[in-house]
Structures are given as structure tokens and as C-alpha cells.
Amino acid sequence: MAIAESGQIGRALVEFSLHGIFPEEDISSKHIEVGHLASALESLAAAKSKLEADIHTINEETASDVSQWIANTKSLEDDINRTRSWASEIIRRSEAPDVSGKAIQEAEDKADFLRRESAYNNQVYDALTSIQHVSQLLDQVELARDERRILQSLHLLEESWTALDTVPVSKSCRAMKLLDIRAFELKSAVHDVFDHVWSSLVQIDAPARQISVFSSREDEEMSLSDAVIGLKAYKEVDKRMAVLWQGLDEILVRPRTSVEDSDLPTIRVENSTLSLTGTADKTVASLFRDIGTVLEYLSERLPEELIYSLSSIMMPYLIPSIITSWLEPSVPTSLKEMDEFQSIIDVTKAFCTHLEALNFSGFEELQEWVQNVPRVWLAKCRETALDSIRSKLSQGLGDTKEIERVETQTVSQEEGRRLALDTTIPTNGDGWDAAWEDGEIATNANAEAQSNQPTNKDEGDDGADAWGWGDDGDDNNENEANATAVDASSKHDNLTEEEDAAAAWGWGDEDTTDAKDTTAANKDSRPTPSTREVTLKETYHISSMPEPVIALILAILEDGASLVGSDGNPMAPAAAGLFSLPTLVLAMFRAVSPHYYAFNAGGNMFLYNDATYLSEQLSEIADRWKARDDLVPRAKSMLRLDNEVKALQLFATRAYSSEMTTCRTILRDLLGGSQSLLQQDELGSSGLQSQVDNAITYVRTTATAWSKILAKSAWSQAVGSLVNTIASKVVSDVMDLSGIGQDDAYNIANLIARITELDDLFLPPGAGKNAIPSTAEYASSWLRLKYLSEVLQSNLQDVKFLWMESELSLYFTVDEVVDLIGLSFVDNARTREVVREIQGCPNPRDSSW
């Protein structure tokens, strides 16, 4: 009992000492004996020991802070003491009557310092208060995070960031760094919780090919509307919508919009989940229906701000994919399929209206596509037309086709005789025109209209006048109507190599000073008794290319004409563009065809014929178009093919020119190139003969290839140009020799004899032994080469005879003959006498006539 009482007394003393609690009356009224004091002292000693231990623990935990605060306190105490001392000094000096100016200044400085110190202390206090406030906010964020109150956590985080920015302390301060690190860690922790909540609201299940979007869930306090705040706080609105679109595209949209798959699934909503089921038809209407299902589902569940962000991410991928893979392939290339396409346009317009009602944006490209359907259709027509040209050309030239050209011309009696000599027309004593009673002559001369003749011969084009008439009209020195074959040959001396194609399809024998005036006269005047209308025919071959090009152009023009006459057709605005497509088609043909034609032997000649045939057909199409009664005047006026006809004619002559230039270059290279053929080897060597034989073989091979392509007149002109190249080269090389011995002259004559065997190319089929070849009519240097051979094999008297009595003066000038005499004969009195006689009669043919 005594022990219990001692314990009560001890506890009462401890409670009173520590907490100031006065003991109950039953204890305070007890009589204390000496024995009770020992137990009470032991209780007080135990309480003292425990208190000392607690203080020691606290001191160890707060040692650094306490030390800092002690230091600050001491510093503050020192400042206070110093301030008191200064204040006492100021009072003392203020009471003193004699105070110097220096003392007053010191007092003012001290007062200013005190104000600054006071302001500093206030700043320190404010800073510590702000730090404490931020720390408390972060404590609240942590608590809200643990309780999954995401929105409150985000609000508190935002408030703490704002408060942290207002703390009047440098960011490099350790306390600020610690607060910043803690805020960042809390932000990451809250984001993890937010990410978990978002995943429960927007579920993308790629293996199951399902997507679910919930506005809210019972097990989560945050809804999608609230989630927008979190997305904004973390600046992840666009990022989350990009992930959502990626899932939609991979799971639903891409499998549904793929045109490569044979079976396409349909999109359905089952149990608030988007999924792929069944099979959908491959129509645009079905596609828009399924895409609309997806967009409706999203519009019902996602907040408007998320819809706007999703649109900006989704539409730049979805709309171009729909246009490229579905709408553009459905665009027809002909008006016959326009009814079905009109239904697609209507469905597309309805889809755009639906998107607008669902608050989606970013589909302006689709709206523009619908508004510009005529332009889209025109672009498809243009693309298809150009691609068909490329495709046809890539397949090769195909089977050739024989074309017959018929032309009626008014010719003179002499021309009629010459034509008759080149034909198989039966003749009799009734006169040169007796065989024309039927109004028709089959001849090897060309009958192309003069309108095809290019007017500019200065373009340096090898075929600048390949379809011209009266190519000899520029030679005013040749106006004789009764020109012989020799005259024609002499006129060829005035033609350059660039003009070889000028007569490729022309007559070349109408000797008029003004070809245009003559042509106009032939058209405007009726045949006179001295002239007669004759129908001329000849055939040539074209590849398989011109016919598809013409068919394509006709189809395009028919579609354009039907649109011009029907303003109610939605494609009517594209009518003008359709009429411009033939220009693009022909431009594509001209641009691409040289590459593909080059793969075939004689490809440039085929290209020459094809381009010529196209120009003729286009000209006829234009004439027939203007004469049609079923077309409105506007449709007639919109067709403009004149420039295309001219472009094709120039293109044809360039092809001819290119081929001739190439062939002549090859021939010159075979004959020594820029070097003299006769100075490379000994004149009698087999190497020299081999070079000449190679050139002859090349001419024959080329002539055989061209005979299956060109008309007879064009073939004769082209092969004649090659023969003329050999003749000109040999004559030029002989004239460049420094001297010609007897053996050299013999060898050169043998070479010329080999070359002149090419005469058989210009003999008519089935010609007899006495038939005269027409080589000289197409090779201006041919008779020049033959007379050169005669000179080399003649003595002085024979050379004089050839000049005075024969026709040597028609092909060689006085100076050239004198040079040949100097090369071949010794300079003596007889030689000089013959030279004087020749020089004294420069034009023996004129004097003999």
C-alpha cells in the first residue's frame, strides 16, 4: 500500500512538472511521509532521463537546422546589439549641440543600412513563408494522388507551380531545387495514375481488333471531359489523339480502305465497341457508310476539343487515302459511264455534310474534290490519254499497214510525158495524154498537198520541206518547161544536204519562179488545152501507232462535242479542256516516240511516215468536223488542229533529217571520214576497195530496209541522197589529190565503176538491159562522178571533146577541168593549148545551142 501511494505521488509530481497538471484532491490531501519521497524522486529521475533522451534525439535530427538557426540567431543578436549601439550613439549625438557634418553623414549611412537590413529581413521572411506554402501544397498533392483524386491533384500541382514561380528566391537555391524536384516527381506520379485512368476510358485492343471509348466509368472518378483538363495540363492532347488515330487506322480504317484485299470487312458497333465483322462490298457508298459509323461513334463519346484535335490529325491521312484509292479510280474516262459516277458524287457530298454535322473538320480537300469534279474528270481523261500513248509506244511498232495516197494535179504536156516515162501506162499514137482518158495515172511520184510545204527553208533542218511541191522553184536559173532528165540532175547541184528531205515527197520537176503563185493558179483556174488533170497514186507503210492515236483523238473530240451541246451535264465545264487534249496527246507522241522508234531498223523513217500520216488525217478530221451539221457552232470553233498539223509536218521532216544525217555520217566514216579516202592507202590496195565495198553494201542494205517503209518517190530521194554522199566524197577526194598518175587514174576509175553499180537500185522493176536508171535525178553528183571517170580514162583530145562536144561542162567548171588536166597530164605545150581552148570556151553548150 505504501509503495502504491509512493507511485501515485511520484506520477503527480512528474505530471505537474512536465505539464503543469495539479493532482487530484485525494492525492494532494494525503500526508507525505519520508518514505514516500524516495519513490517520488525515482519517478522524477526517470522522467528526467526520458526527457533528456528525447531532447538528445531531437537535437541529433535537427542538429544542422538548429546550428543554422543558432548561427542566424547569433547573427541577428549581433545585428540587434549593433543596431542598439548605433541608436544610442545617434541619440547621444542628436542631444549634443556640436555635431560635425561627418558625424551626421555616418548617422545617415547607418540609418540607410538599417532600412536595408530591415528590408532584407522582410524578404527572407517572405521567402521562407513562400517556401513553406509551396511545401504545404505539395503535401496536399501527394495526399490527393494517394486518394486518386486526379483533377484535384492537377489543380494543386498547377497552383504549386504558380506559387513556386512567385518565390522571391533564385532557382539555383538548394531549397528551390529540392521543391522543384519534388514537384516534378509528384507530376510524374500523378501522370502515371492519369495514364491508368485514360487507358480504362480509351481502350485499344489490337490483338482482338477492337476499340472502345467510354465517356466515364463507375470505377473511376474522372470522365473524358475531365480528362481534357489533364491532357491540357500535360500538353498531351495531340499526342493522345495521334495514338488514338494510329489505333483506329491500324485496326479499323486501313483494313477497310485497302483496295488491294479481295475481301473487305465491314465496321460495326457492338456493346459500345468498334470492331470488324463480316464482308463489305467494294463500293464508295459502303466505304462512306462504314467510315461514318466510326466517326459517329467518336463524336458521341469524345469531347468537342478532342474531336477538333483528332480531326487535325486524322483527316490529312484519311481524306487523301479515300480520294487516291477510291474516288480517283472511280472517275470514268468516257461519258458513257457518267451516270454511275454521278451517284458517287452524290454520296461524297452527303458524306461531307455528315462530317460537318458531327463537328469534324479538315476535310476541305474532299469538298474541293467534289466541287472540282469536272476538273478531276478532265485530269483523269488527260492522264488516261497520255498513258495510253506511252503504253502503246512501249509495245513496239507492231504490224505495218500499207497506205495509198491519191492526189490530183494539173500538169503540163512535158511533165505528162516525163511521168509517162516513169510509169507502166500503155502509150499509143494518140498522144501523150491518150492514156489519161480514165482520169487516173498510177505513178511513183508523190501527191501531197502544197499546204503541207514548210515556208521556212533556213531552219537548217534536213527535212525542212519534205512535203513541199516545186522544190526547184527557188532556182530561178531553171525555168525551162521542157527540162530533160539531165537538166533535173544539174538542178540538184544547187541543193544542199539539208534540202535532201525537201523533195522526199515532192515532184521536184515543177520549174516555176514562184511556187505559191503557180499553186494558186492551178487551184483557181481550170485546165487549159496545154495542161491536164492527172490523178497520182503511190503507197507507203506506217506502223500500228497512228491508228490508235487518231481513234483516241476522235473519241476525245466526240465527248467534247457532246458536252458543248448539253449544259445540264455536270462535266460541261470540262468541254474546253477536252478540246485541248489532242494537243497534249500529240505533244506526248512527239516527245516519246523517237525513243521507242529508235529500237527498230529504219525507225526514223517509220516515224516520218507515221507523223506525215497523222498530219494528213488530222487535216481531214478538221475539214470533216467543220462540215458536220450535227454540231453546234461553238463545238466547231473549239477545234483547232492547224498548229498541230504543222507541228507534225515539222516533226516528220526532223525525223527524216535525223535518219539521213545519221546515214550520211556513217557513209562518210566508212569512206575515211574527214580524211581523204584516196590518201589513206595505196589506190590499188584491197583495204581501199574494202572501204568502198562496205559503203556500197551499207547503201544497198539501207535501201532494202527503206523499200519496205517509204513510198517510191521518198525512197528514191533518200537513197539518192546516200548515193550522192558517196559520189560527192569520191569527187572531192580526187580533186584534193596532188597528182594522178596513169595507174592511179586506172585504179580510181575501177573504184568509180564499183560505185556506179548502184545504178541498178534506180531501175524500174523488170527493166531490160537497155533501161536507163534514174540515179542522176536523185543524186546531183552522180553524173559528175561518171564524167570524172571518163576524164581520168581519157587523153587530152578526149577531154577537149568531152568539154566542147559532150556534157562535161554541165557538171564541172572551167577551173575544175583545168585542175584535173594539171593533175593527170604533164605540163607541156599541147597541154597548155588544150587548157587555153577550154578556158576560151567556158560555156560550150550555150554556143552549140
Side-chain angles (χ1 to χ4, degrees), residues 802-817:
L802 290 174
W803 181 262
M804 297 294 186
E805 304 298 335
S806 188
E807 298 174 346
L808 179 62
S809 61
L810 297 177
Y811 308 105
F812 285 88
T813 64
V814 173
D815 294 336
E816 289 175 335
V817 173

Side-chain angles (χ1 to χ4, degrees), residues 457-524:
K457 291 192 177 183
D458 297 330
E459 295 177 356
D461 208 334
D462 197 46
D465 194 16
W467 289 96
W469 295 94
D471 297 307
D472 304 322
D474 291 336
D475 187 356
N476 293 330
N477 294 326
E478 299 293 341
N479 284 329
E480 297 296 333
N482 297 323
T484 62
V486 176
D487 296 329
S489 176
S490 66
K491 285 182 286 182
H492 278 291
D493 292 337
N494 296 325
L495 295 177
T496 64
E497 290 183 357
E498 287 75 10
E499 292 171 326
D500 283 343
W505 289 94
W507 293 91
D509 296 324
E510 293 91 336
D511 301 324
T512 60
T513 58
D514 191 341
K516 294 183 179 179
D517 293 341
T518 303
T519 305
N522 289 338
K523 291 182 178 179
D524 297 338

Side-chain angles (χ1 to χ4, degrees), residues 309-418:
S309 176
L310 181 61
S311 297
S312 63
I313 296 172
M314 174 178 62
M315 294 304 175
Y317 293 94
L318 178 61
I319 299 303
S321 175
I322 293 175
I323 292 175
T324 303
S325 302
W326 290 82
L327 295 181
E328 289 185 352
S330 65
V331 178
T333 58
S334 174
L335 291 178
K336 297 178 181 179
E337 305 171 359
M338 195 54 63
D339 293 338
E340 181 180 352
F341 183 60
Q342 183 60 46
S343 64
I344 294 177
I345 296 173
D346 296 337
V347 171
T348 307
K349 289 181 180 178
F351 181 69
C352 291
T353 304
H354 191 201
L355 289 180
E356 190 172 356
L358 295 176
N359 294 325
F360 281 92
S361 59
F363 53 93
E364 293 80 6
E365 184 178 355
L366 184 60
Q367 291 175 319
E368 291 177 0
W369 188 89
V370 175
Q371 295 171 359
N372 298 326
V373 162
R375 187 183 305 171
V376 172
W377 178 71
L378 180 61
K380 181 63 173 289
C381 292
R382 178 171 58 248
E383 178 184 352
T384 304
L386 298 182
D387 186 64
S388 66
I389 296 298
R390 288 192 296 266
S391 176
K392 182 63 179 176
L393 285 170
S394 65
Q395 296 172 8
L397 300 185
D399 297 331
T400 61
K401 179 180 178 181
E402 184 178 281
I403 301 297
E404 183 180 67
R405 179 182 288 109
V406 180
E407 181 71 16
T408 300
Q409 285 291 313
T410 302
V411 296
S412 64
Q413 293 183 5
E414 179 60 28
E415 289 169 339
R417 294 191 186 95
R418 292 172 57 194

